[in-house]
Amino acid sequence: MVGDVAPTLDTKSRAIWTEDGRIRALGGEDEIRRASPTGAEMVDLAGAVVMPGLIDSHAHLLQTGLGWSRVSLADARSIDDIVQAIAERVRATPDGDWIQCSSRWHETRLREGRLPTVEELDRAAPRHPVYLPRGGHVVVTNHIGLELAGITASDTDPEGGQFVRDGERKLTGMLLEAPAFRRLTRLLPQATEEDRQAALQEAGTAFSRSGITSVREPGLDVAGVKAYQTAVDRDHPIRTSLMWRVDLGQTDDERTEWLEQLGPAPGVQNDGWPEVWGLKITLDGGVEGGYFKEGYANDPQQHGFPLTSQESLNRFVQRAHTFGWRIGIHVVGDAAMDMALIAFEGAGPTEQVVRRGHVLEHAFVPPPGGIERTRRLGLGVTLQHALVYSLGGNMRTYWGEERAANCTPTREWVDSGVAVGAGTDTPVTDFDPWLNIFGFMTRETDVAGVLGPEHRITAAEALRMYTTGSAKILGAGNVVGSLEPGKLADFICLDRDPLSAAPDEVRATRVLRTVVGGRAVHSIG
Ligand SMILES: [Zn+2]
């Protein structure tokens, strides 16, 4: 292929020769023409800019695809819009069946700036139970939903969750964190294998159109892992690195038994996908439930909560580490990140922990010294400006100005020497990598203005996070992330050079062609 090739983002080349899914050589056009066999197909990219394929190091691709068949609230701008969208689905759904909404929307985009109430959902769906998630930590339901789940106003809150109530102690329909909404999710009709295959194909196609060639999937069950294995046999266009979801609802003993059944870690080979990367632990909540040392700005008594104790976490991390597993721990608040660091510090001999390459997911608010401890332990971190972009409004409300402005301190992370991967956490947010890169460059948010401009990074730094940085997180730096002879031929052809474009132009980047293993999985024009 002939174009403007930026193989490592720092060097330039004119042509790229691929063979058997790998890169054979890069060089000048004549040089490559001479070197490649006669009759080799030559694709002229007509001046397109060629870069390594993008790697989203924290993307729930399967859930993103499954979400697309649910009621979309992304365009809702008022509670009325939500009521109408649900009512429309109600009209096409037999009485009593669940109405499920997609989690990718946010109340800060509504005129009212709040979640709908149980009564408003009753108005939209008087004869159907409603499951309305927002992100991964909040669910709202109507009275039929509460009734089916057996949640009443006299119930005490489950450990690690909250049945949110109003001033008169009446249920609002909002259920905070998995322990609170597990009784509801248990009742939802399970996606079939057919649904999962359709979701993976649909989302995979959309991802490759945006320039993503690999993702790391944080948190799957048996059916999810199986679905990926099947999808790959059907030419799924995205390479995937999978993580088993660790269930913190289990007792220590149950979790140990689960780990023993799973057996020793498979060891990443990087020669076939999907690969099982490791385990995913969700240690605290999201914006409204993250575990902080200081109280919440809107409720100083509230610190959020960890979903397990320090002792249980230590025990599990140590055991899994001994079994050879890599572990990614979701941490939002500074207190949660501190817990995760303590667990990794005690997981085994430091050199061994460093070699393993465990990862912190999100790490929105590092405690003082936390970035340095992360570096010393050889941990990687996955950062998602996309989350700050869409949740910034609530970060301000719940965490206060200062914590919100300093969340996801990308500048510090990038300068620290820690392996930093870029991601979006779709379907909580949009998977669009160009919007995410724009956000990393500007610290712009959807409705909360610019948060912490001192944490801005350059386009080159953001693209490095999306390529070599994420590849390192995946433990696949030897095969993807840059274009070099012997590496996999995963690259994208763009209509502009984002390295020298202004943020708004970067955001509008069009991907003309996406190549995975030498095969064009997307091309236009
Ligand atoms: Zn996630």
Side-chain angles (χ1 to χ4, degrees):
M1 307 218 181
V2 181
D4 226 352
V5 186
T8 63
L9 307 178
D10 299 313
T11 50
K12 289 268 183 219
S13 193
R14 267 302 291 168
I16 180 168
W17 170 18
T18 72
E19 197 176 59
D20 297 331
R22 292 192 181 249
I23 295 166
R24 264 299 285 273
L26 295 144
E29 195 174 332
D30 291 341
E31 188 188 341
I32 292 298
R33 267 186 211 282
R34 270 197 309 273
S36 53
T38 33
E41 187 197 2
M42 200 56 139
V43 182
D44 188 348
L45 298 170
V49 171
V50 182
M51 279 191 179
L54 304 181
I55 305 169
D56 189 319
S57 60
H58 189 118
H60 306 268
L61 177 104
L62 176 59
Q63 284 305 324
T64 302
L66 287 171
W68 286 344
S69 61
R70 298 182 185 142
V71 180
S72 170
L73 304 175
D75 295 329
R77 293 293 172 270
S78 66
I79 297 283
D80 237 23
D81 289 348
I82 290 190
V83 169
Q84 272 178 36
I86 292 173
E88 196 177 307
R89 181 64 63 96
V90 159
R91 282 193 287 277
T93 308
D95 279 8
D97 281 8
W98 282 89
I99 303 295
Q100 295 195 55
C101 304
S102 158
S103 60
R104 196 178 73 73
W105 70 283
H106 206 276
E107 69 272 16
T108 49
R109 301 210 69 173
L110 305 183
R111 204 173 311 132
E112 295 85 350
R114 59 166 175 86
L115 295 163
T117 63
V118 65
E119 286 84 14
E120 283 158 346
L121 294 185
D122 284 347
R123 181 149 61 86
R127 290 179 304 279
H128 299 69
V130 174
Y131 175 74
L132 195 171
R134 195 271 283 135
H137 302 271
V138 177
V139 169
V140 194
T141 187
N142 59 353
H143 273 112
I144 299 185
L146 287 172
E147 204 174 295
L148 289 174
I151 300 169
T152 66
S154 56
D155 285 353
T156 47
D157 288 338
E159 201 183 325
Q162 198 188 346
F163 305 136
V164 180
R165 295 153 217 266
D166 62 16
E168 292 159 27
R169 307 275 311 145
K170 282 201 314 219
L171 294 170
T172 61
M174 177 180 173
L175 309 170
L176 197 56
E177 300 304 335
F181 52 73
R182 201 170 282 139
R183 283 201 235 166
L184 199 72
T185 45
R186 218 177 266 153
L187 305 173
L188 299 174
Q190 292 301 305
T192 63
E193 174 60 13
E194 205 183 324
D195 296 337
R196 282 189 284 269
Q197 289 308 322
L200 286 179
Q201 285 309 328
E202 206 182 331
T205 304
F207 278 39
S208 47
R209 262 188 229 133
S210 75
I212 296 168
T213 51
S214 301
V215 303
R216 177 162 163 276
E217 246 282 4
L220 293 166
D221 57 10
V222 177
V225 170
K226 265 206 189 120
Y228 272 102
Q229 278 153 354
T230 308
V232 163
D233 294 339
R234 299 183 186 173
D235 279 344
H236 194 255
I238 307 282
R239 298 187 197 275
T240 46
S241 192
L242 312 180
M243 296 166 80
W244 289 104
R245 182 171 47 235
V246 177
D247 184 357
L248 291 185
Q250 291 182 326
T251 63
D252 274 8
D253 287 349
E254 285 169 338
R255 253 197 315 272
T256 305
E257 199 180 313
W258 173 80
L259 192 61
E260 273 161 10
Q261 275 168 10
L262 215 53
V268 173
Q269 307 298 324
N270 294 325
D271 57 1
W273 268 269
E275 291 224 316
V276 173
W277 180 91
L279 310 176
K280 160 82 181 293
I281 296 174
T282 300
L283 186 56
D284 65 344
V287 175
E288 303 80 5
Y291 179 40
F292 286 93
K293 292 175 193 278
E294 304 270 319
Y296 277 77
N298 58 347
D299 182 358
Q301 298 310 312
Q302 179 66 253
H303 289 249
F305 33 77
L307 300 174
T308 190
S309 69
Q310 182 78 62
E311 299 76 62
S312 282
L313 179 70
N314 292 353
R315 214 170 297 144
F316 182 81
V317 166
Q318 201 178 42
R319 199 159 283 152
H321 175 81
T322 310
F323 272 34
W325 285 96
R326 284 194 291 205
I327 307 160
I329 306 186
H330 157 122
V331 288
V332 165
D334 50 0
M337 179 160 158
D338 201 33
M339 283 178 72
L341 288 169
I342 290 170
F344 282 132
E345 280 156 355
T350 309
E351 325 77 74
Q352 201 192 67
V353 172
V354 168
R355 245 179 293 128
R356 188 68 51 80
H358 299 295
V359 170
L360 297 174
E361 316 288 337
H362 317 307
F364 280 121
V365 184
I371 292 181
E372 175 54 21
R373 282 162 77 195
T374 304
R375 192 192 60 77
R376 274 206 303 270
L377 290 164
L379 307 177
V381 65
T382 65
L383 303 181
Q384 306 80 20
H385 183 83
L387 287 171
V388 183
Y389 185 84
S390 57
L391 310 178
N394 270 15
M395 286 172 176
R396 275 194 157 147
T397 309
Y398 283 78
W399 302 353
E401 279 309 314
E402 202 190 319
R403 269 183 300 200
N406 288 314
C407 78
T408 313
T410 315
R411 174 83 271 152
E412 258 175 82
W413 279 116
V414 167
D415 292 344
S416 71
V418 168
V420 186
T424 54
D425 205 9
T426 170
V428 179
T429 61
D430 200 302
F431 64 85
D432 179 2
W434 306 104
L435 175 61
N436 199 24
I437 293 167
F438 161 84
F440 277 122
M441 294 170 74
T442 59
R443 295 285 294 187
E444 204 66 71
T445 65
D446 192 10
V447 296
V450 171
L451 281 183
E454 64 276 22
H455 301 299
R456 285 172 180 156
I457 57 170
T458 65
E461 287 168 325
L463 281 158
R464 234 172 256 135
M465 282 170 61
Y466 253 111
T467 52
T468 43
S470 288
K472 209 162 173 201
I473 296 290
L474 264 62
N478 57 335
V479 284
V480 292
S482 62
L483 305 178
E484 295 170 66
K487 281 196 169 186
L488 293 164
D490 291 5
F491 53 87
I492 51 177
C493 308
L494 310 174
D495 70 339
R496 69 198 71 194
D497 184 357
L499 291 168
S500 56
D504 278 323
E505 303 225 328
V506 171
R507 183 182 184 159
T509 300
R510 285 181 70 215
V511 179
L512 306 173
R513 179 188 290 252
T514 303
V515 176
V516 174
R519 178 172 71 103
V521 293
H522 153 72
S523 81
I524 51 173

